[in-house]
């Protein structure tokens, strides 16, 4: 069989798509063959087989395992196989043997160990009890190449294969084994680095165990830390070898450059992780660690500049085991770790004492530690050869770095974060002294001058964000050096000068506001005059600072000039490449937006709108650009609408031809993004329009929207078009109802009904139909039962049927609110109607059953003040009916929590999904209303979040608790974690307003006096009863 599999693997590497597809299909058909996985392992084990085929065999094996091995794997597809337990055991042993064989091909070792870890994640220890003992026995007696494979398997097992129980039973032996490897100077440096990375990975599991076994975990970690820390400090003190010549960095040996860098990097990463998770473990070593890392940073500045600033060596490199081995990675880790250590009370106290012991009254800070760290920051902030080449080639890359939107976290970026930690000390004075000495010494190095100004920019940003004042004398002293930079021959220093001029002069406390118009004018002038795109875009971006600071009368004067320079810059660019330059587009749009904000009503007098629409057409596929364009346009529409119908009509006359033309272009070229952008702008135009809208507004846009909604499956386009029609109904329903489509002869009401019917149909997914509920509500309220006639009941029936299959929370809310809005005034009629509707399918039944189940099970996820208020009132109206039919409908109740306090992993959740009680509708309805009384922003919540952010330890000695409530936003890890929630926080916010709370309190006070409430009260949880009790106490005090 091996030959057959080998031929198929070779075919999967063929360039012809049909050949590859057929081979992949035949390989999948072999899943049912008991010998298939063994054949793949055999092929991967043969050194005589081409490496690409060996890798391909392991890739196919990985896919086979993920799809078929166990339902506990997230990728499991339930594909039927005939693989016996005996074959599975053979696979486990053969694969482990390959991964620990000492094969010289690291890619084979890495791929095979990954598959081992996936199998171990579900089979260890029950079906594979010998795995860990085997690995631990192999470690002390393995030769170097074999040891590498063992460590890779063990590392993957620690990261993905262990749960807390399994780790706890073997932690002592495991940590000792890897400690012996890490401290053995006879081992390869990369093997020792790999052992340290495994030790670091242990902390993730230890953190989980800490939740339930604090005392034992703390003792174990303290013992481990006491053993490892002296070794870590000794590694950090190791000098770097002589810089190897280019091409010789990979040479191995006891003192190899690559090995030393990898080892040091893993040590710093491990120390940083310990400090972040269990800061008290290293308290007694804090000063020693700070001093050691400080000295390392000072010693590494020279090699760093030599490698990356003077020379152009490649950085940001990792080996096949994901071990970083270039100096820039080590520098980043050291800079980040210094940030962590600066959070220590001990370190701060020592640094303050050193400053206090020195005479700095004369301003001589250069010899102090703060002066030294400024020199270090400037050294690491210099533009590298690689960055200079990239920025010259593509100004968009320069802007992405400048706006901190880059994915490349470099030493220069790390310096930015460190500055934020230093801002409480006299950093401005220290940097000024360094800058003065540099200029007086006659330095002609533009890079170091640019770096000094770059650090200054970060300091000013941090001081401004903290509302700290800038000494006017310091500001004017810096202005001299900024002026020199603005006229330097080096384009990057020149650009930095204009950036700093805008930043410094616009800070209120700096006392330079009187010269803002002068510098703003200089910046405007240079955009057209300078030959460097880097300088041009820096100046365009700097205009944002000036426009926000200038008095409104002066800002209006600059509006026309700003529009002109942006228009000129656009005309000098290759617009076909603009689509790929998202950061550049965003900068141009942001500056244009700020210019427009000075006085949006002036936009009809110059080509601001034309420039805005030009950029919008090229940035239509960018979410950020679209948002900025919409923001600018919304300001214009709201401003013009506020001036009255005539001004708004003039705006419509100017923009409607462009927007409807964009829809036609988007339709012809199938560019959904362009159509989506145009519809979004039309929606904003309609939303802020007067009542009634200008004549022929509906006739101009409605045919386009109707066509789009019947021809597009793009969810965002459908949502925007639906919302636009809702705004048309809201602003001028009569114009919609009187309009008649010339192509079909149908009236406005019928067209809207057809659109709703289409969006609620089975061919349209939840996302595309997300806004149809709001449109249906608007139509019902504006048209009324008389105008809709029999269509009203048909419409509500379609909504109920579609609700039965809806899955997305926002779509469910949208549809439920159709019935909620009706229940505000006609609750009984809504229930009677739903009781007569029959819904087919698995989730079917009467409309009453379907709607109430979806309604009550999803109410807690509703967002938006208005939606929650309407929902609460509608549910109380339904409750007040005491309809006997509701007691016969069973719905999902409370989550049935098991007794275990252990955190449930994804695989455990798959094996044992959540279970809920089943309760009648009246009880569920009561629970839902009580949950709305539970304010998610109660005073206890910040305290809970406080503990979460300050770390897992609740028994520390105060070493790291000196800044309660301050989250380190400068740290890249913290920033990444917070940014992961940013988008969700905008739409998934469940908050109540005070009026709704008062309404609920009055409702429960009245309901509690009714006989039916007593039986419902017995079904409430203790927490729900306590909430009602506390509510009653608070209202009677």
């Amino acid at each position: 069989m091996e030959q057959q599999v080998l031929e198929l693997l070779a075919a999967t590497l063929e360039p012809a798509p049909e050949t590859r597809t057929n081979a992949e299909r035949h390989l999948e058909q072999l899943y049912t063959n008991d010998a298939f996985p063994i054949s793949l392992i055999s092929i991967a084990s043969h050194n005589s087989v081409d490496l690409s085929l060996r890798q391909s065999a392991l890739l196919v094996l990985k896919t086979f395992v993920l799809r078929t091995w166990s339902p506990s794997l997230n990728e499991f597809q339930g594909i039927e196989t005939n693989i016996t337990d005996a074959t599975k055991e053979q696979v486990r042993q053969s694969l482990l043997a390959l991964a620990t064989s000492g094969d010289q091909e690291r890619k084979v070792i890495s791929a095979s160990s990954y598959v081992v870890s996936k199998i171990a994640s579900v089979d260890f220890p029950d079906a594979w009890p010998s795995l860990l003992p085997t690995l631990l026995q192999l470690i002390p007696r393995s030769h170097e190449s074999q040891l590498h494979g063992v460590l890779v398997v063990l590392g993957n097992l620690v990261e993905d294969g262990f749960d807390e129980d399994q780790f706890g039973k073997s932690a002592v032996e495991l940590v000792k084994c890897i400690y012996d490897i890490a401290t053995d100077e006879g081992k390869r440096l990369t093997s020792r680095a790999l052992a340290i990375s495994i030790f670091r990975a242990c902390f993730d599991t230890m953190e989980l165990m800490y939740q339930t076994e604090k005392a034992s975990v703390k003792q174990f970690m303290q013992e481990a830390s006491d053993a490892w820390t002296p070794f870590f400090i000794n590694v950090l003190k190791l000098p770097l070898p002589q810089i190897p010549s280019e091409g010789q960095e990979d040479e191995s040996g006891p003192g190899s450059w690559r090995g030393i860098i990898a080892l040091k990097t893993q040590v710093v990463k491990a120390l940083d992780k310990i400090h972040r998770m269990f800061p008290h473990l290293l308290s007694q070593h804090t000063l020693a660690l700070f001093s050691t890392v400080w000295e390392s940073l000072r010693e590494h500045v020279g090699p760093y500049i030599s490698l990356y600033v003077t020379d152009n060596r490649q950085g940001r490199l990792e080996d096949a085991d994901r071990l970083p081995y270039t100096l820039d990675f080590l520098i980043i880790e050291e800079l980040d770790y210094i940030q962590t250590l600066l959070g220590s009370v001990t370190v701060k106290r020592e640094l303050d004492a050193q400053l206090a012991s020195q005479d700095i009254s004369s301003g001589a800070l250069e010899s102090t530690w703060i002066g030294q760290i400024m020199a270090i920051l400037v050294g690491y902030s210099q533009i590298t050869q690689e960055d200079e080449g990239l920025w010259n080639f593509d100004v968009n890359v320069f802007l992405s770095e400048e706006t901190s939107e880059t994915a490349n976290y470099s030493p220069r970026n790390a310096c930015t974060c460190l500055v934020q930690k230093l801002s409480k000390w006299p950093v401005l004075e220290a940097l000024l002294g360094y800058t003065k000495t540099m200029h007086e010494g006659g330095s002609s190095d533009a890079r170091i001058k640019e770096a000094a100004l770059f650090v200054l920019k970060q300091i000013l940003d941090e001081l401004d964000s903290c509302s700290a004042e800038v000494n006017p004398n310091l500001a004017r002293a810096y202005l001299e050096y900024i002026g020199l930079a603005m006229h330097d021959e080096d384009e990057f220093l020149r650009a930095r000068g204009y950036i700093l001029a805008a930043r410094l002069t616009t800070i209120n406390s700096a006392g330079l506001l009187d010269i803002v118009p002068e510098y703003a004018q200089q910046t405007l002038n240079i955009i057209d005059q300078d030959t460097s795109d880097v300088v041009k875009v820096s100046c365009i971006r700097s205009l944002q600072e000036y426009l926000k600071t200038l008095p409104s009368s002066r800002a209006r004067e600059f509006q026309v000039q700003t529009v002109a320079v942006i228009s000129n810059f656009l005309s000098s660019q290759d617009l076909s490449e603009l689509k790929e330059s998202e950061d550049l587009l965003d900068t141009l749009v942001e500056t244009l937006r700020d210019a427009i904000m000075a006085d949006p009503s002036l936009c009809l007098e110059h080509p601001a709108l034309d420039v805005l629409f030009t950029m919008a057409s090229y940035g239509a596929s960018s979410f950020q650009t679209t948002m900025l364009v919409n923001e600018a346009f919304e300001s214009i529409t709201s401003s013009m609408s506020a001036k009255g119908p005539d001004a708004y009509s003039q705006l419509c006359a100017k923009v409607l031809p462009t927007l409807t033309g964009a829809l036609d272009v988007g339709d012809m070229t199938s560019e959904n993004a362009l159509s989506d952008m145009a519809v979004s702008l039309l929606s904003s135009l309609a939303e802020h329009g007067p009542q009634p809208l200008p004549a022929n507004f509906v006739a101009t846009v409605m045919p386009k929207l109707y066509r789009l909604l019947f021809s597009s499956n793009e969810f965002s386009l459908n949502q925007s078009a639906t919302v636009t029609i809702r705004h048309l109904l809201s602003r001028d329903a009569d114009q919609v109802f009187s309009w008649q489509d010339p192509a079909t002869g149908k009236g406005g009401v019928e067209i809207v009904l057809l659109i709703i019917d289409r969006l609620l149909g089975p061919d349209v997914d939840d996302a595309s139909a997300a806004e149809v509920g709001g449109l249906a509500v608007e139509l019902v309220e504006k048209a009324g039962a008389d105008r809709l006639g029999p269509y009203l009941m048909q419409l509500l029936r379609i909504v109920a049927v579609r609700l039965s299959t809806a899955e997305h929370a926002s779509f469910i809310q949208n549809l439920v609110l159709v019935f909620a809005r009706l229940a505000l005034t006609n609750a009984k009629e809504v229930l009677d109607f739903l009781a007569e509707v029959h819904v087919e399918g698995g989730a079917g039944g009467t409309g009453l059953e379907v709607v109430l189940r979806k309604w009550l099970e999803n109410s807690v996820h509703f967002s938006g003040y208005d939606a929650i208020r309407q929902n609460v009132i509608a549910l109380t109206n339904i409750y007040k009916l005491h309809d006997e039919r509701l007691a016969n409908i069973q719905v999902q109740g409370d989550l049935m929590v098991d007794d275990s306090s252990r955190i449930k992993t994804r695989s455990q959740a798959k094996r044992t999904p959540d279970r809920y009680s089943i309760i009648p509708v009246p009880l569920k309805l009561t629970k839902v209303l009580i949950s709305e009384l539970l304010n998610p922003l109660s005073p206890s919540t910040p305290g809970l979040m406080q503990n979460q952010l300050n770390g897992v330890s609740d028994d520390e000695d105060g070493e790291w608790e000196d800044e309660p409530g301050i989250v380190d936003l400068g740290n890249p890890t913290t920033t990444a974690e917070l940014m992961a929630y940013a988008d969700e926080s905008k739409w998934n916010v469940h908050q109540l307003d005070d009026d709704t709370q008062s309404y609920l309190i009055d409702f429960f006070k009245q309901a509690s006096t009714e006989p039916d409430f007593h039986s419902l009260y017995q079904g409430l949880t203790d927490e729900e009863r306590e909430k009602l009790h506390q509510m009653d106490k608070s209202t009677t005090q």
Side-chain angles (χ1 to χ4, degrees):
M1 185 181 188
E2 285 183 27
Q3 186 61 37
Q4 178 189 2
V5 174
L6 191 59
E7 292 173 357
L8 289 173
L9 291 174
T12 63
L13 303 178
E14 291 291 328
E18 186 176 351
T19 303
R20 290 200 310 270
T21 303
N22 288 335
E24 290 165 359
R25 185 172 63 253
H26 284 130
L27 284 170
E28 290 180 5
Q29 291 170 356
L30 292 175
Y31 279 12
T32 58
N33 192 315
D34 200 44
F36 178 60
I38 304 300
S39 298
L40 290 171
I41 298 173
S42 177
I43 292 169
S45 303
H46 280 297
N47 290 326
S48 58
V49 176
D50 185 79
L51 176 59
S52 61
L53 294 174
R54 297 175 71 191
Q55 288 181 272
S56 180
L58 290 170
L59 178 62
V60 172
L61 179 64
K62 180 193 76 172
T63 305
F64 169 81
V65 168
L66 294 176
R67 289 179 177 179
T68 68
W69 197 268
S70 169
S72 297
L73 291 169
N74 290 328
E75 301 87 346
F76 181 74
Q77 295 182 358
I79 299 174
E80 289 292 333
T81 66
N82 297 319
I83 307 302
T84 63
D85 290 342
T87 301
K88 282 192 171 186
E89 178 61 21
Q90 188 178 355
V91 168
R92 285 190 284 261
Q93 298 304 326
S94 301
L95 200 54
L96 180 60
L98 173 60
T100 59
S101 64
D103 194 298
Q104 295 302 309
E105 293 293 349
R106 291 204 165 197
K107 292 180 179 179
V108 171
I109 297 297
S110 179
S112 56
S113 66
Y114 178 82
V115 184
V116 168
S117 70
K118 283 298 179 182
I119 295 176
S121 69
V122 293
D123 285 2
F124 176 80
D126 297 335
W128 201 355
S130 63
L131 174 59
L132 185 59
T134 300
L135 293 173
L136 296 180
Q137 290 169 14
L138 282 171
I139 286 178
R141 53 189 175 86
S142 296
H143 54 79
E144 275 294 348
S145 56
Q146 186 182 22
L147 177 62
H148 167 256
V150 175
L151 290 175
V152 171
V153 173
L154 185 60
N156 284 329
L157 185 63
V158 170
E159 289 184 3
D160 299 319
F162 274 140
D163 63 21
E164 301 94 294
D165 288 335
Q166 296 156 6
F167 181 80
K169 293 173 183 177
S170 56
V172 174
E173 185 179 4
L174 170 64
V175 172
K176 183 182 184 307
C177 276
I178 57 178
Y179 175 80
D180 291 342
I181 296 297
T183 57
D184 187 347
E185 295 183 2
K187 301 295 184 185
R188 285 179 184 167
L189 291 168
T190 49
S191 295
R192 297 170 66 191
L194 199 53
I196 297 171
S197 75
I198 296 172
F199 177 63
R200 178 167 54 89
C202 290
F203 278 83
D204 292 322
T205 308
M206 296 304 298
E207 186 180 23
L208 294 176
M209 294 178 63
Y210 191 86
Q211 308 297 326
T212 55
E213 304 172 41
K214 290 187 178 181
S216 60
V217 169
K218 183 177 179 181
Q219 180 182 352
F220 172 78
M221 292 308 303
Q222 189 66 63
E223 293 173 356
S225 173
D226 290 343
W228 284 78
T229 304
F231 160 66
F232 284 161
I233 292 176
N234 288 335
V235 171
L236 292 175
K237 290 180 178 179
L238 290 173
L240 291 180
Q242 184 177 357
I243 298 175
S245 57
E246 192 163 8
Q248 296 181 342
E249 297 94 336
D250 293 348
E251 289 185 0
S252 59
S256 73
W257 173 268
R258 174 171 172 169
I260 287 288
I261 297 294
L263 185 66
K264 282 176 169 283
T265 303
Q266 291 306 311
V267 165
V268 181
K269 288 168 75 74
L271 285 168
D272 199 31
K273 191 159 194 173
I274 295 171
H275 262 128
R276 292 183 188 282
M277 289 188 169
F278 304 97
H280 59 284
L281 295 178
L282 297 174
S283 294
Q284 59 181 323
H285 304 287
T286 300
L287 284 178
L289 287 167
F290 183 84
S291 175
T292 305
V293 177
W294 174 277
E295 286 303 317
S296 293
L297 281 170
R298 292 181 63 183
E299 292 171 2
H300 297 162
V301 170
Y304 175 81
I305 293 174
S306 176
L307 285 169
Y308 304 112
V309 179
T310 305
D311 202 350
N312 190 18
R313 298 287 184 93
Q314 190 170 0
R316 294 192 284 267
L317 296 178
E318 295 181 344
D319 64 14
D321 302 318
R322 294 175 299 171
L323 293 178
Y325 63 85
T326 49
L327 181 61
D328 58 331
F329 269 136
L330 174 58
I331 300 300
I332 289 170
E333 296 299 334
E334 289 177 334
L335 287 168
D336 286 348
Y337 189 38
I338 281 288
Q339 286 184 65
T340 302
L341 291 170
L342 283 171
S344 163
V345 173
T346 303
V347 170
K348 289 180 178 178
R349 190 181 297 127
E350 174 64 22
L351 294 176
D352 286 337
Q354 288 187 23
L355 281 180
S357 67
Q358 296 173 290
D359 181 15
I360 59 173
S361 58
S362 61
L365 286 165
E366 291 178 72
S367 60
T368 67
W369 68 264
I370 192 69
Q372 294 169 14
I373 203 168
M374 286 298 106
I376 291 174
L377 288 171
V378 171
Y380 287 125
S381 295
Q382 292 182 63
I383 300 172
T384 64
Q385 291 280 347
E386 180 185 13
D387 283 340
E388 181 177 339
L390 288 172
W391 297 352
N392 275 322
F393 177 75
D394 186 354
V395 71
N396 193 68
V397 180
F398 167 76
L399 278 173
S400 69
E401 294 278 353
E402 196 63 27
T403 56
S404 300
E405 297 294 336
T406 176
N408 294 325
Y409 187 62
S410 65
R412 184 173 165 109
N413 302 131
C415 288
T416 298
C417 300
L418 183 53
V419 162
Q420 296 169 358
K421 282 284 190 179
L422 296 167
S423 59
K424 65 172 292 227
W425 286 290
V427 285
L428 274 178
E429 293 83 347
L431 182 61
L432 180 60
Y434 176 86
T435 305
K436 183 178 180 181
T437 301
M438 177 179 58
H439 280 269
E440 290 178 350
S443 173
S444 60
D445 190 342
R447 273 190 170 84
I448 201 164
K449 292 178 181 178
E450 192 278 340
L453 292 182
F454 174 82
V455 173
L456 173 61
K457 169 71 161 52
Q458 313 316 312
I459 295 172
L460 293 176
D461 285 346
E462 179 62 19
L463 293 176
D464 193 39
S465 69
C466 300
S467 300
E469 294 190 355
V470 175
N471 186 309
N473 293 328
L474 288 175
R476 293 196 176 273
Y478 273 117
L479 202 59
E480 177 184 348
Y481 301 116
I482 291 171
L484 293 174
M486 291 167 66
H487 299 92
D488 197 90
E489 293 181 359
D490 183 87
E491 62 178 315
F492 296 108
L493 179 55
R494 200 160 65 249
R496 184 62 52 196
Y498 281 100
I499 292 170
L500 257 298
R503 191 70 192 91
L504 184 61
T505 58
T506 55
I507 294 177
N508 287 332
S509 60
L512 301 174
L513 294 180
D514 57 319
I515 60 174
V516 165
E518 174 191 342
Y519 275 80
Q521 191 63 58
Q522 286 187 43
T523 303
L524 274 167
N525 294 341
I526 205 68
I527 295 173
D528 285 334
Q529 297 170 7
D530 206 289
T531 58
S532 167
D533 277 352
V534 170
V535 175
K536 288 175 182 286
V537 298
S538 296
C539 290
I540 289 173
R541 189 164 183 267
S542 298
L543 286 174
Q544 297 171 25
E545 302 271 6
Y546 293 126
L547 289 166
K548 293 173 184 175
T549 306
L550 286 165
S552 57
S553 59
R554 297 300 303 273
R556 283 196 294 270
E557 295 175 13
F558 280 98
Q559 186 186 82
V560 176
Q561 295 180 69
T562 302
V563 172
V565 296
I566 293 176
S567 178
N568 292 339
F569 179 80
L570 277 175
S571 64
S572 69
Q573 300 296 302
D574 184 349
L575 296 182
S576 62
E577 296 180 357
L578 206 56
K579 290 182 179 180
E580 307 301 324
S581 304
E582 184 174 329
D583 292 288
L584 174 57
L585 262 178
D586 291 347
T587 296
L588 295 174
V589 173
E590 284 175 334
T591 305
L592 182 62
R593 176 201 62 192
D594 291 342
I596 289 171
M597 295 291 193
D599 190 345
S601 63
L602 297 177
C603 290
L604 298 181
E605 302 174 11
H606 50 69
L609 284 169
D610 296 329
V611 176
L612 180 67
F613 290 157
T614 298
M615 291 190 288
S617 65
Y618 286 99
S621 58
S622 165
F623 172 79
Q624 178 72 9
T625 305
T626 302
M627 184 179 69
L628 292 170
V629 170
N630 275 312
E631 182 181 338
F633 189 68
E634 185 175 346
S635 298
I636 296 170
T637 55
S638 57
S639 175
M640 298 301 286
S641 181
K643 287 183 174 293
D646 290 341
Y648 182 83
S649 296
Q650 292 176 31
L651 175 65
C652 291
K654 183 175 181 64
V655 302
L656 278 178
T658 301
L659 296 179
T660 54
L663 288 177
D664 293 334
V665 172
D667 188 34
M668 289 186 293
T669 60
S670 299
E671 288 191 39
N672 287 327
L674 181 59
S675 297
D676 193 12
M677 169 76 83
V679 173
S680 295
L681 296 177
L682 280 174
S683 179
S684 182
L685 188 65
E687 180 182 8
H688 297 283
Q691 293 178 306
L693 293 169
N696 296 319
F697 191 104
V698 172
T700 302
V701 303
M702 197 67 175
K704 312 284 186 182
L705 300 175
Y706 177 48
R707 186 191 71 242
L708 280 174
L709 286 167
F710 273 83
S711 61
S712 172
N713 291 317
E714 180 68 24
F715 78 91
S716 59
L717 183 55
N718 283 334
Q719 287 182 11
S720 299
T722 306
V723 169
T724 305
I725 296 174
R726 175 163 61 83
H727 289 323
L728 293 179
L729 281 169
S730 174
R731 309 308 291 178
D732 197 344
D734 289 338
Q735 190 175 159
V736 174
F737 297 150
S738 62
W739 168 72
Q740 190 171 36
D741 181 27
T744 62
K746 294 181 172 63
V749 172
E750 189 175 358
I751 290 293
V752 176
L753 285 169
L754 288 172
I755 289 171
I756 293 173
D757 183 65
R758 146 99 172 140
L759 293 173
L760 290 175
D763 297 332
V764 179
D765 59 31
D766 285 9
S768 295
E771 299 292 341
V772 69
L775 177 59
V777 168
E778 201 69 45
L779 177 63
V780 170
E781 292 186 349
K782 288 295 192 293
D786 293 339
R787 193 187 295 266
L788 290 175
Y791 293 119
L792 175 60
M793 295 298 107
Q794 183 180 346
L795 171 62
L796 297 179
R797 182 177 289 104
I798 295 172
V799 174
V801 171
R802 187 66 178 86
L803 185 58
S804 68
T805 60
E807 296 179 353
H808 291 195
S810 59
F811 185 40
I812 292 172
Q813 171 180 329
N814 209 257
L815 295 182
V816 164
L817 286 178
V818 174
F819 299 103
R821 291 277 283 269
L822 293 173
L824 294 177
T825 54
N826 300 288
K828 185 177 186 308
E829 288 78 359
V830 170
L831 297 189
D832 291 342
F833 165 75
L834 290 174
E836 297 175 0
V837 174
H838 181 72
V839 179
E840 302 286 347
T846 67
L848 193 60
E849 294 170 336
V850 168
V851 171
L852 287 178
R853 284 196 187 107
K854 287 282 188 177
W855 190 338
L856 295 174
E857 290 171 9
N858 290 276
S859 279
V860 293
H861 304 302
F862 286 6
S863 60
Y865 285 122
D866 289 339
I868 294 172
R869 184 187 303 113
Q870 293 166 14
N871 182 55
V872 165
I873 296 173
L875 289 176
T876 57
N877 288 348
I878 292 174
Y879 175 91
K880 292 174 184 177
L881 295 175
H882 300 292
D883 195 309
E884 295 180 357
R885 292 171 293 189
L886 304 186
N888 298 321
I889 301 175
Q890 302 294 306
V891 297
Q892 189 182 83
D894 298 321
L895 175 66
M896 300 171 68
V897 183
D898 56 35
D899 296 332
S900 173
S901 60
R902 189 169 304 283
I903 297 173
K904 185 181 288 188
T905 63
R906 286 182 296 177
S907 59
Q908 291 169 338
K910 243 184 169 181
R911 289 194 293 267
T912 56
D914 291 337
R915 295 180 298 122
Y916 293 84
S917 61
I918 303 299
I919 59 177
V921 163
L923 178 57
K924 178 68 174 181
L925 196 155
T926 305
K927 286 175 172 287
V928 168
L929 292 174
I930 292 174
S931 73
E932 299 294 1
L933 283 170
L934 301 176
N935 189 347
L937 300 178
S938 63
S940 62
T941 304
L944 178 62
M945 279 300 295
Q946 175 75 45
N947 295 333
Q948 302 271 345
L949 292 170
N950 284 339
V952 296
S953 178
D954 59 358
D955 55 352
E956 297 174 24
D957 58 3
E959 168 72 5
W960 299 85
E961 296 300 320
D962 56 312
E963 292 184 350
I966 297 179
V967 185
D968 184 8
L969 293 177
N971 180 264
T973 304
T974 306
T975 305
E977 290 171 352
L978 293 176
M979 286 300 292
Y981 297 99
D983 289 340
E984 183 176 355
S985 67
K986 294 177 182 177
W987 58 265
N988 194 21
V989 178
H990 190 95
Q991 297 180 4
L992 294 177
D993 58 277
D994 293 339
D995 290 340
T996 306
Q997 284 280 18
S998 299
Y999 175 85
L1000 271 174
I1001 291 171
D1002 292 340
F1003 165 77
F1004 277 113
K1005 289 174 66 175
Q1006 179 181 347
S1008 63
T1009 63
E1010 299 173 355
D1012 292 346
F1013 191 78
H1014 179 72
S1015 61
L1016 295 175
Y1017 186 82
Q1018 303 306 313
L1020 300 178
T1021 64
D1022 292 340
E1023 182 184 3
E1024 290 165 342
R1025 294 177 186 177
E1026 177 63 20
K1027 183 60 185 178
L1028 290 176
H1029 177 64
Q1030 292 297 329
M1031 177 200 74
D1032 187 53
K1033 283 178 60 178
S1034 65
T1035 56
T1036 55
Q1037 288 177 349

